[in-house]
Amino acid sequence: MNIRNHFPTEELQKRDAAHHLHPFTAQHDLANKGSKIITSAQGVYVYDSNGEQLLDAMAGLWCVNIGYGREELAQAAERQMRELPYYNTFFQTTHIPAIDLSEKLAKLAPRDLNHVFYAGSGSEANDTNIRIVRQYWALLGHAEKNIIISRKNAYHGSTLGGASLGGMNAMHQQGGLPIPNVQHINQPDWWAEGGELSPEEFGLARARELEEAIVEFGEKRVAAFIAEPVQGAGGVIVAPDTYWPEIQRICDKYEIILIADEVICGFGRTGNWFGSQTMKIRPDIMTIAKGLSSGYQPIGGSIVSRKIAEVIGKDEFNHGYTYSSHPVAAAVALANLNIIESEGIVERVRNETGPYLAKKWARLNDHPMVGEAKIVGMMGSLALTPDKANRSKFLSPSGTVGYICRECCFANNLIMRHVGDRMIISPPLIIDKEQIDILIERAWKSLDEGMSKVKEKGLWESAPI
Ligand code: PXG
């Protein structure tokens, strides 16, 4: 128990419901139920207002890579706030945290990705990317090369640009999206959409949709392709092995800018500094956020290649945010990267805790409700099914069963989320083997309880194939 001195939970919930609008939430439903109030956190655990300790297998929102409670980051923020809490980099000025962080990122990023444009979030960074790739081609005399191809069920943010790049129908429906000249091809989700094809055949087929789209819209019109190395918010969808090499081939052949959205995959999540390295692709631009500061400060950015920086630099780039290269956020991000590096966190995920988690996670395949257990580094998913052999979906609307299981996880003090009927994890990268054992134990128990509830409610029924 770890109850701090604060108002009683019910009172806090009432005050929250009275004035606070939550993201991606049906507000009235939440007001009736009452939100869970998180009061403090340490390591891989968060504590709620009732004193419960929950294992945070989502690292907040895929971001707290170094875990909670790192004093060094608090000190970096405090130091920077005292020295220079704010200054902009618009009008021929700069500051030391921006210089230091950019240099660090240029060193960490692969190949010649060595210039950084900062934003306050991943969404903003993807908006920046839209501007960058269109301006790049315009400056080269190809203003008509302005179509960006993305994927259905991708998540690239919640701003108008980010949500347009994303392939979430529910988001497009609200607000008249996507913006013009953004097109979506199908995702490489073999479990849900592979049909009779082998994963390898399916991976190739889905990658070739990019080529078909380029041919359809015209090589002269397509500016860029954007994708997450592993789709995160879409349900931790790992493409079959054949997918990425083919995507790279197509981008090379047609000279399409490849944007790897590393907002989740970056900074160790997949066992390398960047998911692009794990998937062996060569992006021209990488979107970063989340693990960049381990979520301790809001900061995102676009790391672009030398070639793109060279072209963009020819003219004034009419774009920027008040908080682009915010000094406190930059100082905290740098302290975070130094910790990841000096403590060998990426290597530990790659060589030690990642393989350990992978072994344990694979055992969940034996659970009668799990059809597919996928894992890359420290991001994993479980496809829930009433009939493994046929890769059946549930008859109930997607998400019904996932939600029931998520509630069981919460009741077992495990924060494991659901996306539709997939369960997902993305724990802090500092999770140790003992904590992984606890995670798996709670996950298994929650799946058992979830399955019982699903059966009790008469929901153990397959959708027609
Ligand atoms: N790209 C990717 C790949 C992301 O996962 C963004 C861009 C946008 O970043 P910001 O910092 O603007 O949120 C994200 C964010 C979820 C969930 O439910 C995932 C994200 C954000 C909110 C919810 O899994 N990812």
Side-chain angles (χ1 to χ4, degrees):
M1 293 297 248
N2 181 22
I3 299 184
R4 300 278 172 104
N5 190 15
H6 55 64
F7 285 98
T9 298
E10 264 183 37
E11 196 172 336
L12 289 169
Q13 286 172 329
K14 256 192 221 145
R15 289 169 56 208
D16 186 64
H19 302 293
H20 178 198
L21 293 171
H22 291 242
F24 284 90
T25 297
Q27 312 293 336
H28 298 323
D29 290 352
L30 179 63
N32 289 334
K33 187 181 173 201
S35 35
K36 190 179 266 303
I37 296 157
I38 305 299
T39 51
S40 64
Q42 190 63 39
V44 299
Y45 290 104
V46 297
Y47 297 86
D48 73 10
S49 54
N50 297 323
E52 293 291 342
Q53 183 197 55
L54 296 104
L55 199 166
D56 182 10
M58 283 308 299
L61 209 45
W62 322 79
C63 55
V64 189
N65 288 14
I66 62 166
Y68 297 96
R70 290 300 298 246
E71 193 56 32
E72 301 91 320
L73 269 58
Q75 282 166 4
E78 186 188 354
R79 221 180 302 123
Q80 189 56 45
M81 279 194 190
R82 291 187 197 286
E83 182 112 0
L84 180 70
Y86 178 78
Y87 205 74
N88 70 74
T89 55
F90 278 52
F91 305 110
Q92 308 193 350
T93 55
T94 190
H95 47 68
I96 293 164
I99 297 168
D100 286 346
L101 181 61
S102 309
E103 190 176 80
K104 184 82 189 172
L105 286 168
K107 275 195 194 127
L108 291 174
R111 306 180 351 271
D112 70 339
L113 296 184
N114 60 11
H115 285 72
V116 193
F117 192 102
Y118 293 100
S121 66
S123 303
E124 288 177 5
N126 276 328
D127 279 26
T128 299
N129 290 337
I130 297 175
R131 309 283 311 275
I132 287 177
V133 298
R134 290 182 173 167
Q135 171 71 348
Y136 172 83
W137 289 116
L139 283 167
L140 291 176
H142 305 293
E144 73 290 352
K145 213 165 152 65
N146 61 7
I147 294 177
I148 302 172
I149 300 178
S150 178
R151 305 185 296 184
K152 292 177 187 163
N153 198 36
Y155 190 84
H156 296 298
S158 210
T159 50
L160 294 183
S164 294
L165 293 176
M168 304 280 180
N169 285 338
M171 293 177 77
H172 291 173
Q173 278 159 16
Q174 297 175 355
L177 300 178
I179 58 170
N181 293 323
V182 175
Q183 299 287 344
H184 298 86
I185 58 173
N186 283 306
Q187 60 172 338
D189 180 356
W190 176 79
W191 168 264
E193 301 173 7
E196 297 295 309
L197 296 181
S198 70
E200 292 72 26
E201 290 166 339
F202 177 74
L204 272 185
R206 284 288 154 101
R208 285 182 185 153
E209 286 194 20
L210 176 59
E211 188 155 27
E212 287 156 21
I214 294 168
V215 170
E216 182 190 339
F217 303 121
E219 197 178 335
K220 291 203 166 75
R221 292 293 321 279
V222 179
F225 174 63
I226 182 167
E228 306 149 81
V230 177
Q231 278 160 267
V236 184
I237 312 293
V238 186
D241 291 345
T242 47
Y243 181 79
W244 282 113
E246 186 66 1
I247 291 284
Q248 184 69 60
R249 181 192 70 76
I250 295 164
C251 288
D252 290 347
K253 177 173 171 191
Y254 296 97
E255 281 192 66
I256 304 297
I257 293 176
L258 175 57
I259 308 171
D261 187 335
E262 297 271 2
V263 167
I264 286 177
C265 294
F267 307 104
R269 171 75 41 212
T270 68
N272 285 296
W273 273 93
F274 297 97
S276 301
Q277 294 163 321
T278 305
M279 296 302 151
K280 300 193 174 57
I281 48 173
R282 289 176 275 104
D284 306 290
I285 299 179
M286 297 196 305
T287 321
I288 54 172
K290 293 191 190 277
L292 169 59
S293 67
S294 282
Y296 281 58
Q297 282 285 292
I299 181 167
S302 308
I303 312 185
V304 308
S305 68
R306 186 191 309 277
K307 185 170 151 199
I308 290 177
E310 195 119 316
V311 174
I312 292 292
K314 287 180 202 263
D315 198 0
E316 181 169 344
F317 186 41
N318 297 312
H319 178 77
Y321 310 104
T322 300
Y323 300 131
S324 286
S325 38
H326 191 285
V328 177
V332 169
L334 185 65
N336 170 61
L337 298 181
N338 285 337
I339 286 177
I340 296 179
E341 198 170 41
S342 66
E343 297 183 5
I345 290 175
V346 180
E347 293 74 18
R348 226 175 89 204
V349 170
R350 180 165 59 234
N351 302 323
E352 219 180 299
T353 47
Y356 186 79
L357 174 62
K359 206 170 77 193
K360 300 264 162 161
W361 194 251
R363 290 198 195 140
L364 294 173
N365 269 315
D366 296 338
H367 194 279
M369 193 164 52
V370 173
E372 174 190 70
K374 280 281 188 190
I375 193 120
V376 178
M378 287 280 160
M379 58 195 298
S381 59
L382 307 170
L384 304 181
T385 175
D387 177 4
K388 282 177 197 253
N390 291 304
R391 302 213 313 271
S392 301
K393 299 179 182 83
F394 286 95
L395 182 61
S396 52
S398 169
T400 311
V401 171
Y403 181 77
I404 291 170
C405 289
R406 186 203 88 129
E407 290 295 277
C408 293
C409 293
F410 256 36
N412 287 317
N413 284 355
L414 171 66
I415 302 182
M416 171 158 81
R417 288 241 322 271
H418 78 108
V419 175
D421 292 329
R422 281 183 94 89
M423 305 307 295
I424 56 172
I425 58 158
S426 166
L429 306 185
I430 46 93
I431 191 169
D432 64 26
K433 291 182 180 173
E434 209 174 303
Q435 291 161 340
I436 289 173
D437 289 345
I438 297 171
L439 189 166
I440 298 292
E441 195 184 303
R442 290 184 190 176
W444 189 280
K445 181 163 184 269
S446 305
L447 289 168
D448 273 352
E449 290 170 8
M451 190 170 74
S452 300
K453 287 208 169 121
V454 168
K455 287 184 172 167
E456 264 165 42
K457 288 174 192 276
L459 296 170
W460 190 263
E461 220 180 313
S462 300
I465 297 173

